[in-house]
Amino acid sequence: MSSNFFSLPPEIRHQIYELVLLHQEPIDPWVKYNRRQELTPGLLRANKTVHRETSLLFYAQNRFDFTMGTHEDVASFLGQIGRKNADYIRHIYANFPELLNLDPGDVTLEDESVGILAKIQSSCANLRTLTTSLYSTNAIELNLDALDNPKVVTEALKLVNTYFRAISSLQEIIVEVYEDGPSDYIRKEMDCHGWTISTTKYVEEEDFDRSFSDMDNDVYNYDSVGDDDVDTYDIDSDSDFWRRARD
């Protein structure tokens, strides 16, 4: 990147960063990316000055999609980007916690879900919003509705809320659901916990593929470069983007 770029006023540089780094759809760290024009995180590796100016923007204003990751995947990703960048993350899109046992008085969550929430809690100190995916939330609603046991529904959602609220920085919990849900009681219980209910009209056989679904994973991989190596940097040849994007 030429020095002329840095002669631009900071607000102009910020606008350019927004155009190349921000995306409306959540970023899935584990999918393959081909459409580099839609997201250019390699910019974080241009040089140290650009890295300082873009890291907060990239991590704080994008949403990160953890729905396809295991507990180990989430832990690896947050470890690779480093504590500082993990602390920048403000918005996460995740699956609704899975319920393991639904016996009255003994409702428990799957260890995998507990592990993911615990890792988010310990690593993302400034998280503001946690959104649960439409499909996972709908599956839980159908499961709870099939029990035909309001007491278990109350107990289960109270337990989930306890894990959510353990992330003390959270300002909003958003649950994506279909407009016509299986149970008004379940929705009322969700609302009682202060969750924001985001409804979507059900459309049969609609294609829900994410805009990132066929992008090439290489865009997130790179070798270490310094301030003087900008012209030789080749994002296509990189192999470890997230780790090297850390501070």
Side-chain angles (χ1 to χ4, degrees), residues 101-154:
N101 184 50
L102 287 171
D103 294 333
D106 189 29
V107 174
T108 57
L109 301 184
E110 291 279 1
D111 289 343
E112 185 74 13
S113 296
V114 172
I116 289 174
L117 290 174
K119 190 59 185 176
I120 291 172
Q121 177 189 354
S122 65
S123 300
C124 304
N126 296 296
L127 190 67
R128 297 291 181 266
T129 68
L130 178 65
T131 303
T132 65
S133 69
L134 176 64
Y135 312 110
S136 64
T137 311
N138 180 62
I140 292 297
E141 280 197 295
L142 293 174
N143 192 11
L144 291 176
D145 182 60
L147 296 174
D148 195 24
N149 190 327
K151 289 185 178 180
V152 172
V153 170
T154 299

Side-chain angles (χ1 to χ4, degrees), residues 1 45-50 52 225-231:
M1 185 171 295
R45 294 295 302 163
N47 60 44
K48 292 180 180 179
T49 300
V50 171
R52 286 194 300 268
V225 295
D227 287 351
D228 298 330
D229 297 325
V230 174
D231 292 338

Side-chain angles (χ1 to χ4, degrees), residues 14-22 37-40 57:
H14 186 79
Q15 290 177 14
I16 294 172
Y17 295 147
E18 286 184 336
L19 288 174
V20 297
L21 289 175
L22 301 188
Q37 72 274 16
E38 294 195 22
L39 184 66
T40 316
L57 175 74

